[in-house]
Amino acid sequence: MERIKEKMNQLRVEADNAVTRAEEAEAKNKKYEQHLLEKEQEITSLQHRLGVLEGDLEKAENKLAESKAAADENQSSKMTNEGLTRKIQLLEEELDNAEKNAKETLEKLRLVDVKAEHYERQVQRLEQERDAWEHKYEEAMAKYNKAQQDLDDLAKSLQDL
């Protein structure tokens, strides 16, 4: 009987040990489940954070694309601006040349006007001289006609004698 008692005690000890191990295993299981739950929550949090970061990345990529487009547009504008600046410089040079030509033409025109006034005065003087010569010619013709008349009269009176 003692053997049975000993066996029972031994079985009890084994049962107590088994219960203790089972409780330890359940405690470990609960700890692992808690740890697993924490990890799942952390994964969920990280997935949410990953989604937010992906959204931020997409926004950043869009901004980058917009910035690149703006830079390209800026470069294009800069090139257009440089082209327009060169065109303005050429037009300014043409304007300077045109102004220079206009000044030269104006000076030549002024000289032509001066010469024209000089020639007009010469023409007036020559017309006055012509009028004076015509007047002298008319007076001389009148004297000639009178002298011719006097000569004719004298020749007639000499014939009558």
Side-chain angles (χ1 to χ4, degrees), residues 75-93:
Q75 182 67 21
S76 174
S77 295
K78 185 177 179 183
M79 292 174 69
T80 302
N81 189 25
E82 288 174 0
L84 290 174
T85 303
R86 282 188 296 235
K87 194 171 187 177
I88 288 171
Q89 288 174 343
L90 291 174
L91 289 173
E92 286 175 346
E93 289 174 8

Side-chain angles (χ1 to χ4, degrees), residues 49-74:
R49 189 168 173 206
L50 178 63
V52 169
L53 289 175
E54 284 176 347
D56 288 347
L57 175 63
E58 188 174 323
K59 286 178 186 177
E61 286 175 345
N62 288 339
K63 283 185 180 179
L64 177 64
E66 289 173 6
S67 296
K68 283 183 179 179
D72 290 344
E73 186 176 317
N74 188 21

Side-chain angles (χ1 to χ4, degrees), residues 35-50:
H35 188 66
L36 180 62
L37 183 61
E38 288 173 4
K39 293 296 180 182
E40 285 176 353
Q41 287 176 348
E42 189 176 333
I43 288 171
T44 304
S45 173
L46 289 174
Q47 284 176 339
H48 175 69
R49 189 168 173 206
L50 178 63

